[in-house]
Amino acid sequence: MIKKNSSILVVDTDQEGARALALSLKECGHSVLTARDGIHALSILEFRAFDALIVDVASTGKESLTLIGWAGTICPRPRIVAMADPRVEEAERETLEKGANLFLKKPVDFDRLIKFLEPSPARSSFTGTVEGVDIIEYLQFVILGGRKTILEITSSIGTAGRLYLTNGTVMHAECGVLQGEQALYRCLCFKDGTFSHLPWTEPERISVGKPGDFLLMEAMRKRDEAWGYGDEDEGG
C-alpha cells in the first residue's frame, strides 16, 4: 500500500532528468532517492525497502527488465512504474509482463503518476497465480466485483485482446482489427492462454453497450458452438 508520503526509488541513467523528477515528487511530499542504473538500484534494494519504484526502461535497457522482475518478487513489494520513449518498441508489453504496474510514455504525464501514487482504500488485497481458470467464469467474477480495469487476454498462439471493464459493464473490447462485441467474443472463445490486469486508461470509444449477463450468456453460446465444430484456430 502506498502511503501519503511514499518512499520512491527513481532509476535513470539520465541523472539530470532523474533529479528533476525527484524534485517534483519531493515537492508533492514524497521521499525520493535516485539510482544511476539497474545494478545500482539492485544494490540499494538489497538493503532498503521502497513503496514505489520508477524505472526508465529506455536508458537502462535489459537491466531494467531484470530489475523489474526481481523487484516484483521481494517483500514488501514496491509498486513499479516503467517509463520509456514512445519510439522504444515492445517496451510497454515487456515491462508489464515482467511485473510493472504502470507504463508511462515520455514525456511523463506527471498528474497521472501522482494519482497512481495516491493511497489505495484500505481493503484486503492479494496477488497470486492460478491455473485452469475458465475465462468466462473469471470475467463474470470481475463484472460482479464492479472493478475498473483492463483485462488483457492472450491465446496460447499469441493472439491478444483487451476488455475495458468498469462498474460491472464492458465498455470496450478490442482484438486485432476487431472491436466491440466481435472482439469480446473472439477473446472469450480462446481455448487456452493467459490473462492479466493492466492499469486503467480510458478507451478511445465505447463499443459495447449490452448488459453483462447477456454478453456472458452469448459468449457461452458462441463458445459452445465454436468448440462443437472442433475449431482449433485458437487452440493451445
Side-chain angles (χ1 to χ4, degrees):
M1 299 282 286
I2 297 292
K3 301 183 288 292
K4 274 193 173 181
N5 298 317
S6 301
S7 57
I8 303 169
L9 178 62
V10 177
V11 188
D12 194 341
T13 58
D14 175 9
Q15 287 297 283
E16 184 176 346
R19 283 192 293 269
L21 178 58
L23 179 60
S24 297
L25 291 169
K26 287 177 180 178
E27 290 176 349
C28 293
H30 300 295
S31 172
V32 188
L33 192 66
T34 62
R36 59 182 174 271
D37 54 36
I39 295 175
H40 185 204
L42 284 170
S43 67
I44 294 173
L45 288 165
E46 287 179 349
F47 298 98
R48 179 174 172 180
F50 290 85
D51 296 315
L53 184 63
I54 302 175
V55 186
D56 185 330
V57 297
S59 70
T60 51
K62 293 299 181 182
E63 282 182 11
S64 63
L65 297 179
T66 300
L67 172 63
I68 291 171
W70 181 81
T73 67
I74 63 178
C75 186
R77 183 193 189 282
R79 300 183 75 185
I80 304 171
V81 179
M83 55 183 183
D85 188 291
R87 293 170 294 182
V88 180
E89 296 181 0
E90 298 300 319
E92 181 175 2
R93 178 178 297 278
E94 289 180 345
T95 54
L96 292 174
E97 287 177 349
K98 281 292 183 180
N101 303 105
L102 177 67
F103 179 86
L104 296 175
K105 295 179 180 179
K106 287 188 166 183
V108 170
D109 183 337
F110 190 71
D111 290 338
R112 187 179 173 195
L113 175 61
I114 289 299
K115 185 175 181 180
F116 174 77
L117 297 173
E118 289 177 354
S120 301
R123 62 184 181 90
S124 177
S125 178
F126 289 83
T127 299
T129 301
V130 295
E131 296 180 355
V133 175
D134 183 296
I135 192 61
I136 294 180
E137 290 181 358
Y138 183 74
L139 179 60
Q140 182 181 32
F141 166 76
V142 177
I143 288 176
L144 288 174
R147 181 177 176 184
K148 177 180 283 190
T149 186
I150 299 173
L151 181 63
E152 182 173 72
I153 306 172
T154 305
S155 77
S156 58
I157 64 171
T159 306
R162 293 183 176 183
L163 311 183
Y164 291 72
L165 311 168
T166 182
N167 297 324
T169 62
V170 182
M171 289 180 62
H172 176 63
E174 55 191 41
C175 183
V177 297
L178 301 178
Q179 294 198 11
E181 287 185 48
Q182 283 185 304
L184 172 68
Y185 298 138
R186 173 76 164 174
C187 292
L188 297 181
C189 283
F190 292 162
K191 284 196 172 179
D192 47 37
T194 61
F195 65 84
S196 60
H197 288 272
L198 306 181
W200 176 258
T201 57
E202 292 290 335
E204 294 183 357
R205 68 188 188 94
I206 297 175
S207 62
V208 183
K210 294 178 181 176
D213 288 346
F214 172 84
L215 295 172
L216 292 169
M217 290 294 292
E218 185 66 6
M220 286 288 290
R221 186 189 68 78
K222 288 181 177 292
R223 187 174 70 175
D224 289 344
E225 184 178 81
W227 291 10
Y229 290 126
D231 183 3
E232 299 295 329
D233 182 52
E234 297 297 344

